[in-house]
């Protein structure tokens, strides 16, 4: 049983013209990680930012920087994101050709390894590599945009991930991403999730610090 409970605000919904201030506000609320959503316009139908922004985030905070790569063929860019200061690099099961190789590549750079699965992808597909990862990111929306509704069956997937972790006697963190807010976070926490990514429910509010505090109280 991994009892860690972390909040990871996603800067996808932040005011990027004020990045340092926005990060400061979530830090004041007790945020644990800063989550960066990297989108390539191919794997997902949206484009965001690259290693340059991760480097800027790195300069703004001492918190771990959690980089979620929603890009095809991520191996090409893993070195750049590692050098930009990522603490966790997460690749999508659906976007890589050779997952075992991608995991090794991330480890070669001394960065913690995450693997993410889309809502339609079963947890069981990860059983062969499960002992090699530090983080399993379960998408609870179809990746690409902030502000979407939580997909209910993600709860079952979190429970399956908890079981897979126990069965393999390992201790990777289980992270959930998409539609996390005051109404959904408790259920997700009860299912055994460790790391809660939240974008719009933190940054699209009148009081960013209070929003983090409120979420933290529910986990
Ligand atoms: C979606 C991204 C998320 C996004 C979540 O593809 O991976 O990290 O920021 O946004 P919310 O919390 O608004 O659902
Ligand atoms: Zn994300």
């Amino acid at each position: 049983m991994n009892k860690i409970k972390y909040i990871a605000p996603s800067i996808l919904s932040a005011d990027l013209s004020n990045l340092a201030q926005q990060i400061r506000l979530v830090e004041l609320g007790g945020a644990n990680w800063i989550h960066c959503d990297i989108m390539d316009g191919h794997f997902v139908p949206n484009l965001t930012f690259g290693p340059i922004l991760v480097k800027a985030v790195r300069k703004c905070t001492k918190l771990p920087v959690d980089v979620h790569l929603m890009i095809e063929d991520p191996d090409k860019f893993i070195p750049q994101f590692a050098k930009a200061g990522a603490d966790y690099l997460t690749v999508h099961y659906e976007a890589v050709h050779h997952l075992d190789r991608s995991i090794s590549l991330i480890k070669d750079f001394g960065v913690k390894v995450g693997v993410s699965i889309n809502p339609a992808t079963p947890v069981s597909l990860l059983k062969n590599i499960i002992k090699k990862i530090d983080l399993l990111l379960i998408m609870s929306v179809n990746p690409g945009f902030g502000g979407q509704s939580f997909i209910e069956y993600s709860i079952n997937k979190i429970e399956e991930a908890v079981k897979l972790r126990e069965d393999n006697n390992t201790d990777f963190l289980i992270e959930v991403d998409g539609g996390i807010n005051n109404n959904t976070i408790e259920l997700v926490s009860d299912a055994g999730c460790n790391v809660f990514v939240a974008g719009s429910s933190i940054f699209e509010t009148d009081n960013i610090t209070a929003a983090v505090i409120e979420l933290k109280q529910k986990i």
Side-chain angles (χ1 to χ4, degrees), residues 10 12 35-39 68 70 137 139 177-178 197:
S10 160
L12 182 64
H35 184 85
C36 300
D37 287 306
I38 312 300
M39 304 186 188
H68 178 191
M70 286 164 275
L137 170 51
M139 289 306 298
D177 186 1
V197 177

Side-chain angles (χ1 to χ4, degrees), residues 69-110:
L69 297 174
M70 286 164 275
I71 63 178
E72 276 174 16
D73 206 2
D75 293 17
K76 275 197 267 185
F77 295 101
I78 283 168
Q80 284 186 54
F81 282 106
K83 285 178 197 147
D87 293 283
Y88 282 82
L89 271 176
T90 295
V91 295
H92 263 264
Y93 173 85
E94 304 85 358
V96 300
H97 296 298
H98 308 286
L99 182 57
D100 187 276
R101 179 178 287 147
S102 301
I103 290 171
S104 300
L105 182 61
I106 295 171
K107 285 190 179 177
D108 287 347
F109 283 90

Side-chain angles (χ1 to χ4, degrees), residues 10-11 20 85 87 142 146 148 158 173-174 205 209:
S10 160
I11 58 164
D87 293 283
N142 289 296
Q148 303 182 80
I158 294 164
L173 295 171
I174 300 170
T205 60
T209 301

Side-chain angles (χ1 to χ4, degrees), residues 54-203:
V54 172
K55 198 172 170 188
V57 170
R58 176 74 288 158
K59 275 181 153 176
C60 293
T61 186
K62 292 196 164 56
L63 294 178
V65 178
D66 177 32
V67 177
H68 178 191
L69 297 174
M70 286 164 275
I71 63 178
E72 276 174 16
D73 206 2
D75 293 17
K76 275 197 267 185
F77 295 101
I78 283 168
Q80 284 186 54
F81 282 106
K83 285 178 197 147
D87 293 283
Y88 282 82
L89 271 176
T90 295
V91 295
H92 263 264
Y93 173 85
E94 304 85 358
V96 300
H97 296 298
H98 308 286
L99 182 57
D100 187 276
R101 179 178 287 147
S102 301
I103 290 171
S104 300
L105 182 61
I106 295 171
K107 285 190 179 177
D108 287 347
F109 283 90
V111 177
K112 293 232 165 49
V113 184
V115 173
S116 182
I117 49 173
N118 282 337
T121 304
V123 171
S124 57
L125 288 177
L126 300 180
K127 78 174 177 7
N128 289 336
I129 52 86
I130 207 72
K131 279 177 180 271
K132 294 189 164 189
I133 65 175
D134 301 295
L135 179 75
L136 167 53
L137 170 51
I138 295 179
M139 289 306 298
S140 43
V141 297
N142 289 296
F145 304 94
Q148 303 182 80
S149 299
F150 182 80
I151 295 175
E152 296 290 333
Y153 65 70
S154 313
I155 297 287
N156 302 337
K157 293 177 71 180
I158 294 164
E159 288 167 355
E160 282 166 32
V162 170
K163 182 160 189 313
L164 190 63
R165 184 168 64 188
E166 277 168 15
D167 291 349
N168 284 277
N169 197 22
T170 180
D171 68 348
F172 59 86
L173 295 171
I174 300 170
E175 182 175 40
V176 72
D177 186 1
I180 297 299
N181 56 38
N182 281 328
N183 301 320
T184 54
I185 197 165
E186 233 168 321
L187 211 60
V188 174
S189 180
D190 290 348
C193 185
N194 305 110
V195 185
F196 307 82
V197 177
S200 52
S201 68
I202 291 177
F203 289 107

